[in-house]
Amino acid sequence: MNRIDFRSDTVTVPTDEMRRAAAEARVGDDVCGEDPTVNALEREAAVLLGKEAALFVPSGTFANQCALLTHCRSGDEVLLSERCHIVQHEAGAAALLSRAQLRTLSPDSPHLRFEDIAGRFREPGDFHYPRTALVCVEQATSDGTVVALEELREIKKLASARSVPVHMDGARLFNAAAALGVTPAAVADTADSVAVCLSKGLSAPVGSLLAGTVPFVGEARKNRKRMGGGMRQAGIIAAPGRVALREEVPRLAEDHARAKRLAAALGAVPGIELLREPDISMVFVRIPGWKKESRALVAALDERGFSVYPDEGGVWRFVTHRWVDDAGVDGFAAALRELLTRS
Ligand SMILES: *Cc1c(COP(=O)(O)O)cnc(C)c1O
């Protein structure tokens, strides 16, 4: 039986077309700007995101941290949500690399809002204050919610008026665009620089892109080198990324539809409480009907061919992606129904 993996959209393995593209990629020394496949990927990403230029980097964490390093001097201040990936899941890299001060804000909503940053910009001129160098937003957020573009535009307008750039952690920017029914460029337009991941729901094996103006990306290229991210014949890994942008971006809406199907199926199971309608590919539930340890549920599902992560504080997250089909969704809901009936 095929295993179905609901743990994350990072578990997506490359498609056959990606493997072929990697094998056949024309390559050169990318540190010298001579890898035609990397150059093509960077150009295509810039066009898709409506930015002047883009830079191919090893990971989403790398893209975010390279953006911080490029926008900030050490001791500068960054306004961002305490819940965001840069604060929670990048192992304190900002303290190590850009040495910027992360001023973590605690929004009432799942995402950073205009009200959270208004009044937080430091007045220049007083030497006691750090310089406010950057605002960071996420779209979609790490917990799978999509932010209305109008809200992001308000933040950008406020920051621009203070001459402060906005960086968007768009690890799932393409998901957000699909969910909103707008182009990726329309989403990226609400920030000065954007990071996108090729290796989450897009199935590429590795890589992210950092996009922005030509001068910004030029500086970021130097910082990528400093961070040890200058790669030589990187076309081998960039080639699947080109396939991802061309073939996988347009099909993300299918993953979202499947998440809605999963939400509906789980919502109908007694003992499962659906927390909200999914915006993208992530479904969040509580399972009060399961009286034993979480680990036992993970193991029971595993025996039935389904991989899930244990709950975090009672909340279970199930993620749909390219390698989860309708039959997998229905089978998973049926397995949970059976387990909860017996427990
Ligand atoms: C996954 C993710 C990243 C970066 O991920 P890597 O694992 O470093 O590629 C950044 N931001 C968000 C919101 C993410 O979900």
Side-chain angles (χ1 to χ4, degrees):
M1 188 179 72
N2 252 353
R3 287 201 72 78
I4 309 270
D5 198 333
F6 288 100
R7 287 176 302 167
S8 172
D9 51 3
T10 57
V11 302
T12 47
V13 293
T15 63
D16 291 343
E17 191 181 353
M18 288 175 181
R19 290 176 186 277
R20 266 197 305 277
E24 293 165 7
R26 289 170 55 226
V27 296
D29 187 341
D30 180 52
V31 174
C32 305
E34 290 175 6
D35 189 300
T37 307
V38 173
N39 292 344
L41 172 64
E42 290 179 346
R43 218 166 33 241
E44 288 157 6
V47 169
L48 190 59
L49 294 167
K51 297 293 184 205
E52 289 175 9
L55 181 70
F56 184 50
V57 298
S59 71
T61 297
F62 197 112
N64 284 333
Q65 296 299 329
C66 187
L68 257 59
L69 188 57
T70 307
H71 284 298
C72 308
R73 297 189 296 252
S74 64
D76 281 352
E77 193 165 75
V78 180
L79 300 178
L80 73 186
S81 164
E82 65 178 0
R83 286 196 284 277
C84 75
H85 197 276
I86 290 172
V87 174
Q88 294 294 340
H89 293 117
E90 301 190 3
L96 181 74
L97 297 168
S98 58
R99 289 171 294 135
Q101 167 160 294
L102 300 186
R103 187 168 179 192
T104 52
L105 306 170
S106 315
D108 292 330
S109 69
H111 58 274
L112 198 66
R113 308 182 92 149
F114 178 89
E115 306 84 273
D116 302 309
I117 62 161
R120 305 288 180 146
F121 293 81
R122 305 286 189 169
E123 291 304 331
D126 185 327
F127 66 72
H128 294 89
Y129 293 146
R131 182 178 79 109
T132 306
L134 187 64
V135 175
C136 290
V137 295
E138 272 181 1
Q139 174 78 316
T141 69
S142 304
D143 51 9
T145 59
V146 173
V147 187
L149 292 192
E150 197 40 53
E151 288 199 54
L152 293 169
R153 279 190 207 108
E154 279 186 349
I155 288 178
K156 171 113 177 307
K157 206 168 141 194
L158 179 63
S160 297
R162 297 299 196 118
S163 304
V164 174
V166 175
H167 172 68
M168 176 180 287
D169 177 352
R172 297 186 181 85
L173 181 149
F174 298 114
N175 293 89
L180 291 166
V182 302
T183 62
V187 178
D189 185 50
T190 63
D192 297 280
S193 62
V194 296
V196 297
C197 279
L198 299 169
S199 59
K200 293 226 162 130
L202 300 185
S203 296
V206 59
S208 281
L209 289 141
L210 177 60
T213 64
V214 166
F216 171 80
V217 171
E219 268 305 298
R221 194 174 291 280
K222 180 169 180 175
N223 285 330
R224 180 184 71 173
K225 181 69 187 164
R226 287 169 156 162
M227 292 165 70
M231 300 177 283
R232 301 293 176 179
Q233 283 71 32
I236 299 282
I237 52 173
R242 294 183 69 196
V243 177
L245 294 185
R246 191 176 64 237
E247 305 291 334
E248 301 300 313
V249 167
R251 55 155 298 285
L252 285 174
E254 284 176 34
D255 296 344
H256 300 176
R258 214 153 267 135
K260 290 200 165 69
R261 182 186 182 101
L262 178 60
L266 294 181
V269 175
I272 296 183
E273 180 195 331
L274 179 67
L275 292 180
R276 57 175 187 269
E277 278 304 311
D279 281 354
I280 57 169
S281 53
M282 297 179 182
V283 179
F284 294 89
V285 299
R286 288 184 184 278
I287 313 186
W290 183 257
K291 305 295 181 202
K292 296 183 220 158
E293 280 189 355
S294 297
R295 264 190 319 193
L297 185 53
V298 173
L301 286 166
D302 186 69
E303 272 172 27
R304 287 160 179 77
F306 301 104
S307 300
V308 300
Y309 280 135
D311 67 297
E312 275 185 35
V315 176
W316 296 76
R317 185 189 78 165
F318 306 127
V319 185
T320 60
H321 52 74
R322 188 185 213 292
W323 305 106
V324 175
D325 57 10
D326 282 343
V329 162
D330 297 346
F332 180 60
L336 271 167
R337 182 184 288 271
E338 177 236 334
L339 285 165
L340 288 174
T341 311
R342 291 193 321 166
S343 84

